[in-house]
């Protein structure tokens, strides 16, 4: 299993770090954090953003940290852990990521111990891991969301009284939580059941609405927010459009073969990942295909081969790359349109972490949106919602937990969990302190299922709108970096000179295309970024970005939409301003 179990006298380490005086904040706490970072972890300096977030953690405040890949997000919990009075629970989505996180901890008797509890451990090693946490020999416990869906795990965790609950790769709460891995949306209940320790959520990419969803879904209380810049100026952004699928395949293979290595190619399906890997291998490259259908041992082998440099290229579905700690990745190529710009930015962020030039190329066909829209339309159906609502209602005198509901309905674990999440979202059911599911008083099973189905439809509209934003990025004629950063709510005034739609030299051709200083439509002044608006059809929303002749708005119930400023200027009442940035709500 590799490094999934490393213990030390965590209690002794913590006592030395705390000086037996308990956690401290303020100037003394900052100095102690720097000292621990240097003495235990070997980090001579901490970024101001890291240090500030660490101080929030020590003060017991719920915190969301959005920092680029490779910027040291893990340090935000690793260093303060040695000044906390109990173990730190780290929810991590992939077993390979858990293994790497533990292996990355320092050695020596001053280092904190760590264990991972997952489905690959036998009974004896699982018991040994729990005992290490109970004795204080392991300061970190790594778990998957699926582990925390088990009542036994939650009960044992509550008994060791965790001092901090960390959700790593927190964007998964939004991108995977509704359908693919709905146990992410049960983490709020897990936090409450283990004693409600402070919550720290970490992610490398989260647009403003995703940040909001993360904090709400995790039940974070008055969360502190640390967001650093999203721009990765060393990554060249490029999109190549194709009419013919064979032309696209040929172009991608040629590009992956000729660019400096190592690199990652992202494909939409398992079949495509195997196809491209075989094509590259036939050219003499050390290419590997990676997807969730492989055995765990094979996935671990490919993961290790890439990290060690034995593999030139990994062709993968989205299952690969999360937590990859490799600085010299020179390119990330996408074989088709991603499901969202959130996912795209996360994936291209795995190249160029050393600060040197790197390349991100999207190979796009208009037909790609059909597949991504199909994926976005998946979800709990009305029949599933009705069946689960009926089961919850039938057990109102003796409420059942998720495991019992799965047994009684005969539905898969994911389907039951996704249905309960939707029913809970519309307040048709509630989860008790022991994990039992209670029906809401006065709400019939039919009403509950109908309300949950409407919520599911709203999620599908939002997911489809994210696909449309990815398509708009692929088809924009303006600066791609400006478009991409605008999606994340970060203004970028000038064109970047490092994407395929910008002319790096600023020559006459680039000026003719309008890729020098962008000139905004006069109506843009009416809708600055952050303005709250109401559309006559789509309801209320917030302006996320402006791109010369258009603005992008995220509507509360209709998702992302790009609107023409010319159309807004000529149609009175189409988009009404409710509140501008900085304007007091009482003034509107």
């Amino acid at each position: 299993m590799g490094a999934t179990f490393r213990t030390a006298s965590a209690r002794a380490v913590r006592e030395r770090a705390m000086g037996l005086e308990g956690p401290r904040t303020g100037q003394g706490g900052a100095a102690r954090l720097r000292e621990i970072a240097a003495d235990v972890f070997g980090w001579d300096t901490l970024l101001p953003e890291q240090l500030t977030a660490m101080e929030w953690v020590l003060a017991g405040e719920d915190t969301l940290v959005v920092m680029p890949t490779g910027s040291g997000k893990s340090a935000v919990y690793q260093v303060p852990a040695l000044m906390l009075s109990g173990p730190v629970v780290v929810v991590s989505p992939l077993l390979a990521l858990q293994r790497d996180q533990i292996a990355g901890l320092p050695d020596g008797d001053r280092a904190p111990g760590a264990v991972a509890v997952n489905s690959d451990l036998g009974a004896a090693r699982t018991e040994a891991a729990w005992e290490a946490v109970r004795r204080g020999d392991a300061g970190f416990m790594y778990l998957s969301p699926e582990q925390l869906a088990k009542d036994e795990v939650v009960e044992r965790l509550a008994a060791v009284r965790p001092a901090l609950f960390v959700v790593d790769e927190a964007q998964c709460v939004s991108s995977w939580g509704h359908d693919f891995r709905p146990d992410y949306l049960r983490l709020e209940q897990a936090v409450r059941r283990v004693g409600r320790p402070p919550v720290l959520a970490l992610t490398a990419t989260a647009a403003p609405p995703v940040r909001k969803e993360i904090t709400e879904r995790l039940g974070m209380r008055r969360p502190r927010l640390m967001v650093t810049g999203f721009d990765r100026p060393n990554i060249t952004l490029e999109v190549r459009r194709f009419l013919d699928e064979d032309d696209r395949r040929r172009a991608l293979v040629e590009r992956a073969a000729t660019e400096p290595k190592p690199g990652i190619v992202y494909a939409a399906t398992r079949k495509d990942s195997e196809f491209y890997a075989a094509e590259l291998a036939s050219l003499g490259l050390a290419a590997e295909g990676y997807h969730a259908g492989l055995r765990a041992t094979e996935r671990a082998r490919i993961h290790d081969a890439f990290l060690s440099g034995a593999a030139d290229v990994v062709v993968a579905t989205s299952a690969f790359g999360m937590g990859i700690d490799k600085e010299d990745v020179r390119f990330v190529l996408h074989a088709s349109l991603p499901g969202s710009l959130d996912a795209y930015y996360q994936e291209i962020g795995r190249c160029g972490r050393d600060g040197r030039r790197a390349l991100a190329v999207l190979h796009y066909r208009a037909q790609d949106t059909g597949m991504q829209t199909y994926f976005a339309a998946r979800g709990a159906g009305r029949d599933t919602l009705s069946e689960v609502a009926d089961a919850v209602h039938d057990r109102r005198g003796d409420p059942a937990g998720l495991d019992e509901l799965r047994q009684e309905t005969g539905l898969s674990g994911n389907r039951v969990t996704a249905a309960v999440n939707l029913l809970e979202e519309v307040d048709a059911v509630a989860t008790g302190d022991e994990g039992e599911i209670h029906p809401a008083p006065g709400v019939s099973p039919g009403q509950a299922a109908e309300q949950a189905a409407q919520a599911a439809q709203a999620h599908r509209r939002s997911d489809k709108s994210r696909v449309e934003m990815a398509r708009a990025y692929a088809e924009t004629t303006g600066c791609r970096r400006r478009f991409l950063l605008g999606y994340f709510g970060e203004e970028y005034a000038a064109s970047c000179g490092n994407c395929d739609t910008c002319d790096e030299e600023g020559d006459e051709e680039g000026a003719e295309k309008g890729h020098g200083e962008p000139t905004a439509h006069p109506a843009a002044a009416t809708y600055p970024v952050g303005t709250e608006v109401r559309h006559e059809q789509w309801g209320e929303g917030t302006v996320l970005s402006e791109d010369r002749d258009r603005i992008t708005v995220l509507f509360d119930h209709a998702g992302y939409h790009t609107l023409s400023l010319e159309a807004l200027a000529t149609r009175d009442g189409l988009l009404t301003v409710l509140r501008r940035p900085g304007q007091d709500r009482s003034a509107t």
Side-chain angles (χ1 to χ4, degrees):
M1 281 303 299
T4 56
F5 196 109
R6 174 186 292 176
T7 61
S9 182
R11 183 181 292 110
V13 173
R14 191 154 46 237
E15 288 174 354
R16 287 196 298 271
M18 293 169 60
L20 298 177
E21 297 174 10
R24 291 174 288 177
T25 57
Q27 189 61 36
R32 194 72 189 101
L33 287 165
R34 291 191 185 95
E35 184 180 344
I36 293 169
D39 292 349
V40 178
F41 294 90
W43 301 324
D44 293 334
T45 59
L46 292 174
L47 297 174
E49 298 86 355
Q50 288 176 308
L51 187 59
T52 297
M54 289 177 187
E55 292 180 301
W56 292 343
V57 168
L58 281 183
E61 299 187 75
D62 287 354
T63 301
L64 171 60
V65 174
V66 185
M67 297 173 69
T69 300
S71 59
K73 293 186 297 297
S74 296
V76 173
Y77 70 83
Q78 289 172 341
V79 176
L82 300 184
M83 297 175 67
L84 297 175
S85 58
V88 173
V89 176
V90 184
V91 180
S92 189
L94 302 175
L95 302 191
L97 179 54
Q98 294 176 14
R99 181 188 61 182
D100 289 349
Q101 287 168 323
I102 293 177
L105 291 170
D107 294 315
D109 59 1
R110 302 192 65 186
V115 297
V117 172
N118 54 55
S119 57
D120 282 0
L121 292 185
R125 287 176 62 81
T126 297
E127 285 303 314
W130 281 109
E131 182 62 18
V133 175
R134 189 190 65 79
R135 288 196 312 265
D137 291 341
F140 299 109
M141 185 172 213
Y142 290 82
L143 295 162
S144 69
E146 288 76 14
Q147 288 291 319
L148 285 165
K150 301 176 182 178
D151 286 337
E152 178 191 7
V153 172
V154 174
E155 290 167 3
R156 298 185 76 167
L157 201 55
V160 300
R161 300 177 63 84
L164 179 66
F165 195 99
V166 181
V167 181
D168 199 12
E169 303 291 351
Q171 77 281 352
C172 295
V173 172
S174 174
S175 60
W176 284 359
H178 296 304
D179 304 307
F180 181 39
R181 291 178 71 171
D183 286 315
Y184 267 106
L185 301 191
R186 309 301 297 169
L187 292 180
E188 178 185 0
Q189 287 80 7
V191 171
R192 175 161 45 83
R193 292 176 64 191
V194 302
R196 194 44 180 88
V199 176
L200 170 64
L202 305 172
T203 179
T205 172
V210 175
R211 298 172 211 161
K212 182 173 183 287
E213 187 170 8
I214 288 170
T215 58
E216 290 177 349
R217 292 288 184 180
L218 294 179
M220 298 175 76
R221 301 171 180 171
R222 297 182 298 278
R224 303 298 295 265
L225 180 62
M226 175 60 71
V227 181
T228 61
F230 284 91
D231 191 17
R232 296 283 302 280
N234 63 307
I235 300 177
T236 300
L237 304 175
E238 181 181 331
V239 175
R240 295 198 60 191
R241 297 182 63 179
F242 297 88
L243 297 176
D244 182 77
E245 177 63 18
D246 289 339
D247 288 344
R248 172 164 66 174
R249 289 177 179 267
R250 187 162 46 250
L252 186 137
V253 170
E254 291 174 356
R255 195 66 175 268
T258 56
E259 287 294 330
K261 311 296 184 292
I264 303 172
V265 174
Y266 281 105
T269 65
R270 298 178 182 183
K271 182 178 179 181
D272 279 349
S273 69
E274 293 169 351
F275 167 82
Y276 285 116
E279 289 291 302
L280 291 169
S282 71
L283 298 177
L285 297 173
E288 301 277 5
Y290 184 105
H291 54 72
L294 299 176
R295 292 177 180 271
T297 53
E298 180 67 359
R299 294 199 302 272
R301 182 193 67 78
I302 296 170
H303 189 268
D304 292 343
F306 186 68
L307 289 178
S308 69
D312 295 323
V313 182
V314 171
V315 185
T317 60
S318 59
F320 179 79
M322 196 173 292
I324 283 288
D325 188 15
K326 188 172 177 64
E327 294 189 345
D328 62 344
V329 177
R330 298 272 59 89
F331 66 80
V332 172
L333 309 182
H334 279 74
S336 61
L337 191 74
S340 69
L341 288 180
D342 304 88
Y344 186 67
Y345 189 84
Q346 178 86 4
E347 288 163 358
I348 68 173
R350 289 161 191 157
C351 69
R353 285 181 50 187
D354 55 7
R356 296 172 52 210
R357 179 189 176 277
L359 178 68
V361 185
L362 169 60
H363 296 72
Y364 166 67
R365 291 181 70 211
Q367 291 86 340
D368 291 345
T369 56
M371 175 180 290
Q372 290 299 346
T373 300
Y374 165 76
F375 287 143
R378 296 177 300 174
R382 193 176 297 268
D383 290 345
T384 296
L385 291 168
S386 295
E387 196 166 349
V388 173
D390 285 338
V392 172
H393 193 265
D394 291 343
R395 291 289 301 268
R396 59 190 180 278
D398 180 24
L402 288 175
D403 289 339
E404 293 171 293
L405 290 175
R406 290 162 187 158
Q407 293 171 5
E408 292 184 11
T409 61
L411 298 170
S412 69
N414 266 11
R415 292 177 71 186
V416 169
T417 303
V420 169
N421 289 343
L422 285 166
L423 290 165
E424 196 163 48
E425 181 179 331
V426 297
D427 297 323
V429 304
T431 301
D433 291 339
E434 303 300 321
E436 73 281 11
I437 313 299
H438 299 267
V443 180
S444 71
Q447 291 172 326
E450 176 60 29
Q451 292 168 9
Q454 291 177 8
Q457 182 62 30
H459 289 313
R460 285 192 283 271
R461 285 196 299 268
S462 179
D463 290 342
K464 289 179 181 177
S465 76
R466 292 186 186 187
V467 175
E468 285 303 305
M469 289 303 297
R471 178 196 59 77
Y473 168 80
E475 296 183 355
T476 186
T477 58
C479 172
R480 295 199 195 279
R481 180 164 275 101
R482 190 165 187 263
F483 187 104
L484 190 58
L485 294 179
Y487 176 83
F488 291 103
E490 183 172 318
E491 293 190 70
Y492 193 91
S495 297
C496 71
N498 194 26
C499 71
D500 58 330
T501 60
C502 288
D503 188 279
E504 191 166 4
E505 302 300 325
D507 62 9
E508 185 175 339
E509 180 183 354
E512 289 175 355
K513 291 180 180 178
H515 298 153
E517 288 292 323
T519 302
H521 189 282
T526 307
Y527 308 103
V529 172
T531 299
E532 295 179 12
V533 296
R534 180 187 292 115
H535 190 275
E536 63 180 25
Q537 176 182 351
W538 297 318
E540 295 187 4
T542 303
V543 178
L544 290 186
S545 64
E546 169 264 313
D547 188 10
R548 290 184 296 176
D549 61 348
R550 67 195 69 186
I551 58 172
T552 296
V553 181
L554 175 65
F555 293 98
D556 296 347
H557 300 292
Y560 295 89
H561 285 275
T562 299
L563 306 177
S564 164
L565 286 167
E566 181 66 27
L568 296 178
T570 56
R571 288 187 56 184
D572 290 340
L574 179 61
L575 193 69
T576 304
V577 173
L578 299 179
R579 189 172 69 94
R580 290 186 171 84
Q583 182 179 357
D584 191 280
R585 291 183 181 275
S586 63
T588 61

